[in-house]
Amino acid sequence: MDGERLFCDTALAARIERAEARLTAACSEAARARRGDATGFARPLSGGIASFAEAGSPFTKVIGLGFDGLPDALDEVEAAFAELGAPVQVELSQLADPAVGAFLTRRGYHLESFENVLGRRLTGPLRGGDARLIRDDELEPWLAMVADATAVADTEGVPSHEDFPRETLVHALRDMAGVRRYVAERDGEFAGGASFRVTDGIAQFTGAATVPRFRRQGVQTALLGARLAAAAEAGCDVAVVTTQPGSKSQRNVQRQGFDLLYARAILVKGVSSTSSSGADSRHAS
């Protein structure tokens, strides 16, 4: 950490990637519990996680590699994905061991896209925004609102390689295990929603979207402020968020003091189950 700026070394990147792996594993388990069957898996892989939550889910991926040697059980993982008819998608940090990227490309993985990881240090009490935690009886309308808002593409920046059906988005938002969900309102209506989860002192900002007619009205600023304040109160020392490169989402969080920490390369083996739409379907918008 350098003054008010957050510098990311390999140790911090490894910590963030481990937290992302834990989130992915928890969400994958929640997806299997929701479906009430044993299809799918979340298995450790060289310090990361290989997860199949369900077909087309954002939690069907490999995350967290590159900080604990080469993946030594990749044959079994690839076979498990193939048995379920899914490509293997690896999200590999730019700060991971370069040998892992070379290893994957030799095995036939190709580069499909990038995503950016941004972070902000948290010190002392912070002022919150005009957003609030949702009530239990607001979960269903919150899920519907965020899914519908996410489906309207962010047209700035690099297009996303992911395009999720609405039902898949609703399932993924529901399956986000252990998150705190927030809503910002305008004119008495839900204008935007977002969530965050605490993992080992890291506040992971997830699931953010603004209803199109309420955009450019400070909705994301309110949601960011409320979550930053809650994360600091919870004792987190770092907040992180993932965005599409060059997107409105990235611009919004950088205006709130987030620094670009590193990029993740999206490496895929097999036929991709999603197509590019320009929508950032998983995190901030």
Side-chain angles (χ1 to χ4, degrees):
M1 295 183 181
D2 179 17
E4 294 301 316
R5 306 296 297 274
L6 180 58
F7 170 75
C8 188
D9 57 13
T10 56
L12 179 56
R15 182 183 168 202
I16 294 170
E17 292 298 290
R18 285 194 299 268
E20 185 74 8
R22 287 185 58 183
L23 170 62
T24 299
C27 296
S28 183
E29 181 180 350
R32 295 194 299 278
R34 168 177 49 79
R35 296 196 316 272
D37 62 47
T39 303
F41 54 83
R43 59 179 68 176
L45 180 65
S46 300
I49 286 288
S51 164
F52 183 96
E54 62 183 347
S57 169
F59 305 118
T60 294
K61 62 184 180 182
V62 177
I63 183 75
L65 298 184
F67 299 94
D68 193 21
L70 296 179
D72 55 4
L74 200 52
D75 286 338
E76 292 84 352
V77 166
E78 290 173 351
F81 277 101
E83 185 177 351
L84 293 168
V88 187
Q89 175 173 300
V90 178
E91 299 182 1
L92 184 66
S93 169
Q94 169 190 6
L95 293 176
D97 183 348
V100 175
F103 174 76
L104 293 172
T105 56
R106 287 196 300 270
R107 292 181 67 96
Y109 287 78
H110 67 270
L111 178 65
E112 187 161 304
S113 187
F114 292 96
E115 60 187 23
N116 284 340
V117 178
L118 297 97
R120 173 180 157 159
R121 63 182 303 189
L122 299 173
T123 55
L126 296 174
R127 181 179 179 181
D130 62 335
R132 62 173 177 82
L133 285 165
I134 66 167
R135 302 187 306 267
D136 289 345
D137 64 345
E138 293 176 317
L139 176 59
E140 297 305 321
W142 185 92
L143 293 171
M145 178 266 295
V146 174
D148 289 342
T150 300
V152 180
D154 178 351
T155 57
E156 290 187 13
V158 178
S160 174
H161 69 291
E162 296 174 314
D163 183 13
F164 300 109
R166 184 183 185 281
E167 183 179 17
T168 301
L169 279 174
V170 171
H171 287 333
L173 291 163
R174 189 187 303 278
D175 295 338
M176 285 185 176
V179 300
R180 309 180 193 188
R181 298 179 173 92
Y182 286 78
V183 63
E185 296 169 299
R186 296 290 184 270
D187 303 325
E189 299 182 55
F190 278 13
S195 58
F196 85 97
R197 168 187 160 111
V198 176
T199 305
D200 293 335
I202 294 176
Q204 298 166 285
F205 284 16
T206 57
T210 303
V211 175
R213 70 179 182 278
F214 293 116
R215 289 175 182 173
R216 294 178 295 280
Q217 295 185 31
V219 172
Q220 284 303 312
T221 298
L223 291 165
L224 281 166
R227 289 180 293 166
L228 285 168
E233 186 177 353
C236 296
D237 63 312
V238 175
V240 297
V241 64
T242 303
T243 73
Q244 284 300 112
S247 62
K248 290 180 182 177
S249 303
Q250 180 173 341
R251 182 173 59 185
N252 286 339
V253 297
Q254 286 192 254
R255 285 174 172 170
Q256 294 299 309
F258 282 76
D259 292 306
L260 179 60
L261 303 183
Y262 57 88
R264 291 193 189 108
I266 313 301
L267 301 166
V268 178
K269 185 176 183 179
V271 178
S272 177
S273 60
T274 56
S275 61
S276 177
S277 71
D280 183 350
S281 304
R282 297 185 306 146
H283 294 286
S285 64

